[in-house]
Amino acid sequence: MTPFSYSRAADAAEAVRLAGANRAKYLGGGTNLVDLMRETIERPAALVDVTGLSSSIEESDDGFLLIGAAAKNTAVAEHRAVCLRYPVLARAILAGASAQIRNMATVGGNILQRTRCTYFYDDEGSRCNKRSPGQGCDAIGGVNRNHAILGASSACVATHPSDMCVALAALDATVHVQGAEGARAVPLTAFHRLPGEHPEIETVLQPGELITAIALPPLPGAARSIYRKVRDRASYAFALVSVAAVLELEGGTIKDVRLALGGVAPIPWRAAKAERVLRGQPANLRLFRQAAEAELAAAAPLRDNAFKVELATRTIVAVLGALAGEAA
Ligand SMILES: Cc1cc2nc3c(=O)[nH]c(=O)nc-3n(C[C@H](O)[C@H](O)[C@H](O)COP(=O)(O)OP(=O)(O)OC[C@H]3O[C@@H](n4cnc5c(N)ncnc54)[C@H](O)[C@@H]3O)c2cc1C
Ligand code: SF4
């Protein structure tokens, strides 16, 4: 491990000031960052511990739910308002990692966790544009069963690993950040970047910017929501495909729908094309399939992961079918 300094921030302003130091990284639960530092894939000169910052989970007067970035994943998944108002978020968090890791992991760290592409971790033997820009990507001609079928580029085909972020994308969450220039808010769906020519730039965060909170809008329909994760093992595995869905019906007609996919793209993937097919239509399984196919039409499978196209299609249909119940 490369030597680094450690300091602990008392509040967001102090964290941003301390991170002004060269090559500093914020430290949440450390469940991803410390692993990457051990492998020398991340080599920060300084760590600024932000676990003492706001971890509160509060409902505002105008119906938003504000979650401090230092809130532990377990605390979010178990919070009464999350379970009642946004069950998709509770289920997505509980589908990830293990109880021990969720007890350590923070909301800010979960949003910024890095890909699980095995070539990214293989510092010694593999070429990786995300780790070493311009080097090449060994996943493209290699073993790529777990990789992306949507939104990838000729520079990188890695998927975003977070379950929580898929639910946040479906729920139209906003990420609140603070930097030396002040505070701003970014929609979760605009927070992560597609790889293009620069897979090493993963988000719109500027150097030194800190995630302070996320905000969930009031969405009465989200009380009826599901997260389904398909993976090789029943626990302790990342998604091959996952679907977060919110479905609001009026009679048998789809009044509102929110869909996001995990395990298939370099970012939490909001399925906007499928949503457009669904809105305002009578809910039925044929329509669900049509919507899923519209979303997956742009899929560009690699050698080992063509199965994800049908798997994602069927998972979308199954999840919407479960939410629609007898209406479908
Ligand atoms: C064995 C294992 C299995 C796992 N399985 C899953 C899974 O199935 N699904 C899943 O979704 N995840 C899974 N994870 C990943 C886990 O969810 C992440 O490691 C965790 O969410 C990261 O949170 P953290 O607080 O520990 O982040 P850290 O490791 O502390 O930090 C991660 C990154 O976020 C940055 N950061 C942290 N806080 C902030 C902040 N407030 N502002 C700006 N930057 C910040 C850090 O600088 C670092 O770059 C697994 C992890 C392990 C080790
Ligand atoms: S897919 Fe991306 S992360 Fe994986 S080796 Fe290629 S460039 Fe690196």
Side-chain angles (χ1 to χ4, degrees), residues 115 117-120 127-131 136-140 147 155-158 199:
T115 184
C117 171
T118 46
Y119 298 99
F120 172 71
R127 294 175 308 150
C128 172
N129 286 323
K130 193 184 275 297
R131 202 182 56 231
C137 167
D138 275 346
I140 289 173
H147 289 73
C156 179
V157 293

Side-chain angles (χ1 to χ4, degrees), residues 96-133:
S98 64
Q100 291 88 341
I101 291 168
R102 295 192 297 267
N103 288 344
M104 287 295 293
T106 61
V107 165
N110 192 321
I111 293 171
L112 289 173
Q113 62 172 294
R114 304 202 68 191
T115 184
R116 292 284 158 170
C117 171
T118 46
Y119 298 99
F120 172 71
Y121 280 81
D122 181 20
D123 197 10
E124 306 272 293
S126 302
R127 294 175 308 150
C128 172
N129 286 323
K130 193 184 275 297
R131 202 182 56 231
S132 306

Side-chain angles (χ1 to χ4, degrees), residues 77-309:
E78 289 180 351
H79 195 273
R80 186 177 156 77
V82 174
C83 295
L84 290 177
R85 293 177 57 191
Y86 311 99
V88 65
L89 177 57
R91 289 195 190 197
I93 292 172
L94 294 175
S98 64
Q100 291 88 341
I101 291 168
R102 295 192 297 267
N103 288 344
M104 287 295 293
T106 61
V107 165
N110 192 321
I111 293 171
L112 289 173
Q113 62 172 294
R114 304 202 68 191
T115 184
R116 292 284 158 170
C117 171
T118 46
Y119 298 99
F120 172 71
Y121 280 81
D122 181 20
D123 197 10
E124 306 272 293
S126 302
R127 294 175 308 150
C128 172
N129 286 323
K130 193 184 275 297
R131 202 182 56 231
S132 306
Q135 195 177 49
C137 167
D138 275 346
I140 289 173
V143 178
N144 44 41
R145 181 171 180 274
N146 295 329
H147 289 73
I149 54 171
L150 291 167
S153 73
S154 57
C156 179
V157 293
T159 54
H160 193 270
S162 169
D163 290 296
M164 183 187 81
C165 286
V166 182
L168 293 180
L171 292 170
D172 279 328
T174 304
V175 185
H176 289 255
V177 305
Q178 187 167 328
E181 308 296 320
R184 64 191 178 113
V186 184
L188 189 281
T189 47
F191 185 83
H192 297 95
R193 283 174 39 122
L194 289 173
E197 291 303 306
H198 289 285
E200 75 282 7
I201 306 173
E202 294 173 355
T203 71
V204 298
L205 271 188
Q206 296 300 311
E209 273 188 320
L210 169 78
I211 299 178
T212 53
I214 54 171
L216 298 177
L219 290 173
R224 195 175 176 79
S225 59
I226 285 185
Y227 185 74
R228 187 168 297 181
K229 177 175 178 179
V230 185
R231 47 188 155 169
D232 284 327
R233 292 187 306 270
S235 72
Y236 220 50
F238 289 87
L240 289 169
V241 163
S242 69
V243 176
V246 176
L247 186 69
E248 212 178 333
L249 296 176
E250 207 164 54
T253 300
I254 299 170
K255 186 175 166 205
D256 194 19
V257 59
R258 290 150 194 281
L259 268 184
L261 309 179
V264 293
I267 59 173
W269 189 265
R270 183 75 183 254
K273 288 182 189 142
E275 290 178 4
R276 278 197 291 276
V277 172
L278 293 162
R279 264 192 207 104
Q281 300 299 316
N284 61 66
L285 295 177
R286 203 153 42 110
L287 178 76
F288 298 161
R289 172 111 203 157
Q290 202 185 318
E293 285 174 354
E295 192 62 48
L296 274 301
L302 302 161
R303 188 192 69 190
D304 302 331
N305 67 5
F307 73 95
K308 283 192 178 186
V309 178

